[in-house]
Amino acid sequence: MSFSCTDPLRPARTAPGTTVSVRNLSDWQLTRGFMPLGGGNPNFWLSAPTLRFLHSAPPGLESEAVLLRHISSGREVILTAQTFCFRAGQQVSAAAGGETSRWDFRRRLIARFPIKTLVLGQLLTSGDIAQQGLQQLAPEEVAVLLPAAAETLLQGRQGYLAVLLKDLFAEADPATGRLMDRGFAHLPADPVMKLDLRPWPSFGAYVEDLSSKYRVRYRRARSYGEGIGHRRLGREDASLVPQLFSLYAETSSGASFNVTALTPDYFRWLLEAAEIQGYFNGTGELIGFTTAIPNGQIYHAHYLGLREAYKWSHHLYHNMLFDLLEAGLEGRFATLDFGRTALEIKSSLGAKPHRYANLLRLRSGLLNGLVPRFVRAVFAAQDWQPRSPFRAG
């Protein structure tokens, strides 16, 4: 068994677009693809342009769409399949660990071995929006189908040690329990913070609905942000890509867990595929940015970056969150998805936690039983204080 993530992949037995039977499930068919499966899909993460880019360009991930079709009923499930190489020593900060010992043996051991993983789900976003059709299946059916589909995809591929099911179901979904019964371990993860925008017709109405304490905090943040301007960036701002990437790198370096290292090409793509707000100081220097993805009724806050000094001197991060909220309301979206970071400050804007399951199974049954013990030493979700910013009643 290889522990290298750099071994060249043997070609899969099925070329993209080829339909095969799902392993041990003769009534299900699987079709792989890069763009044909997402053709006219309105879901951003399953659309042809997104899948095409994620396959050809970026951030160390091999991505493709997977179509699962039940022959007799015609039911269909669309997923994203990606390759992820987990390196605990590089991707998880030492401070993120839970149970540790004087020698920290478990963390030191796992840090030595990269774990090449097949992911069903989307590593670059949060929540269950990067799949379609799973909700129509019974939990018992899901618990059989997904592992079988993963093994079908892995036929003829070398070096994969694990399968990760990312954010396909809520933690409380019965399918999560059925998959855990089949040997998947539940990985700790922060909740996704979402704000229901439907109660407010405008940003002014939202501010008016804040309690006096939080309205004062809002006005204070806005006063500190005076002197910082922002504007929408587009393809004509391609010369700013190196600065966008530098700001992203400065911010992501402090994260407790980084799934992947993005590239400048990713931000060049976002200039066209997403909405980017650039923040500038009084001399015109780019000091921060946010990216947001309109996806149906969801306005999804994506990656951002900022100069750390402005985070405190001008409450820049706080103001960025308010600007995302204002844009979501102006766009008449139903939900603002803030993602998984900075839980408490997002809670102070009214966002609520939504917990999704991240389920891992090693392909070696012997090693799989050790996963829960090692996970606790590598990463533990941190405690945080929920806030209630709105007036009672």
Side-chain angles (χ1 to χ4, degrees):
M1 180 178 290
S2 170
F3 286 98
S4 173
C5 284
T6 58
D7 291 342
L9 285 175
R10 290 201 304 263
R13 293 178 184 173
T14 56
T18 302
T19 298
V20 299
S21 293
V22 174
R23 187 174 179 180
N24 298 324
L25 294 176
S26 59
D27 205 27
W28 281 92
Q29 293 180 330
L30 181 151
T31 306
R32 299 170 51 233
F34 302 136
M35 54 183 184
L37 304 184
N41 200 308
N43 186 326
F44 176 88
W45 293 103
L46 297 176
S47 68
T50 299
L51 292 170
R52 189 184 303 120
F53 172 78
L54 293 180
H55 173 71
S56 63
L61 304 174
E62 297 174 13
S63 302
E64 60 182 331
V66 176
L67 172 66
L68 298 168
R69 184 176 184 276
H70 190 247
I71 298 171
S72 58
S73 69
R75 292 173 298 163
E76 293 184 344
V77 174
I78 300 177
L79 302 169
T80 303
Q82 294 179 311
T83 292
F84 171 47
C85 191
F86 177 63
R87 300 175 176 87
Q90 299 176 27
Q91 293 168 318
V92 186
S93 71
E99 297 179 359
T100 58
S101 64
R102 178 181 177 186
W103 300 105
D104 210 1
F105 171 76
R106 286 172 292 173
R107 180 180 176 85
R108 291 170 64 188
L109 179 62
I110 199 172
R112 295 180 58 193
F113 302 115
I115 302 174
K116 193 172 188 177
T117 304
L118 173 69
V119 181
L120 295 182
Q122 177 53 256
L123 290 167
L124 297 176
T125 190
S126 55
D128 60 353
I129 60 175
Q131 59 83 22
Q132 181 175 299
L134 282 175
Q135 299 85 351
Q136 63 187 313
L137 306 183
E140 294 77 9
E141 195 172 18
V142 165
V144 174
L145 177 61
L146 292 182
E151 290 304 318
T152 304
L153 288 167
L154 289 176
Q155 290 183 81
R157 297 188 178 188
Q158 186 179 29
Y160 287 84
L161 303 182
V163 173
L164 174 66
L165 308 179
K166 181 185 179 293
D167 285 353
L168 298 181
F169 304 96
E171 282 187 358
D173 193 295
T176 298
R178 300 297 187 278
L179 286 160
M180 293 177 68
D181 291 341
R182 288 183 167 266
F184 282 86
H186 187 272
L187 303 183
D190 289 329
V192 177
M193 301 300 290
K194 297 183 182 182
L195 178 59
D196 182 358
L197 300 178
R198 290 170 294 184
W200 305 290
S202 66
F203 187 69
Y206 164 84
V207 174
E208 187 62 29
D209 210 19
L210 294 173
S211 68
S212 58
K213 171 183 174 180
Y214 284 92
R215 209 175 307 132
V216 168
R217 290 186 179 184
Y218 163 74
R219 290 169 178 159
R220 182 188 302 126
R222 287 311 203 193
S223 68
Y224 274 95
E226 291 180 2
I228 302 298
H230 65 94
R231 65 175 176 86
R232 173 81 178 268
L233 305 182
R235 67 177 66 184
E236 67 277 7
D237 295 296
S239 62
L240 294 176
V241 166
Q243 296 173 61
L244 294 172
F245 180 72
S246 175
L247 290 167
Y248 151 76
E250 180 175 340
T251 299
S252 64
S253 64
S256 60
F257 182 33
N258 281 311
V259 171
T260 186
L262 301 180
T263 65
D265 281 343
Y266 192 77
F267 295 98
R268 187 172 289 107
W269 174 65
L270 286 177
L271 282 172
E272 299 188 24
E275 296 181 4
I276 299 186
Q277 287 289 326
Y279 289 77
F280 299 84
N281 64 13
T283 65
E285 176 191 5
L286 182 69
I287 57 168
F289 72 92
T290 61
T291 60
I293 296 173
N295 191 13
Q297 289 297 299
I298 299 173
Y299 195 59
H300 178 216
H302 201 40
Y303 289 97
L304 59 78
L306 70 161
R307 293 280 176 246
E308 192 69 13
Y310 286 90
K311 180 178 181 179
W312 309 111
S313 65
H314 291 71
H315 289 211
L316 181 54
Y317 183 67
H318 206 176
N319 279 300
M320 286 175 163
L321 297 180
F322 281 124
D323 290 338
L324 285 166
L325 198 165
E326 186 169 6
L329 286 166
E330 288 179 351
R332 304 293 183 184
F333 292 94
T335 303
L336 172 57
D337 184 335
F338 274 126
R340 277 195 162 102
T341 59
L343 308 180
E344 193 162 328
I345 190 172
K346 291 170 181 176
S347 175
S348 76
L349 271 70
K352 301 294 185 183
H354 295 255
R355 298 186 179 278
Y356 293 92
N358 291 273
L359 303 172
L360 178 73
R361 188 170 76 179
L362 298 186
R363 301 182 76 196
S364 164
L366 180 63
L367 296 177
N368 191 56
L370 299 175
V371 169
R373 292 182 59 82
F374 275 82
V375 165
R376 290 194 294 266
V378 174
F379 181 83
Q382 301 300 306
D383 293 332
W384 59 283
Q385 179 63 50
R387 303 295 180 182
S388 299
F390 302 115
R391 292 180 296 175

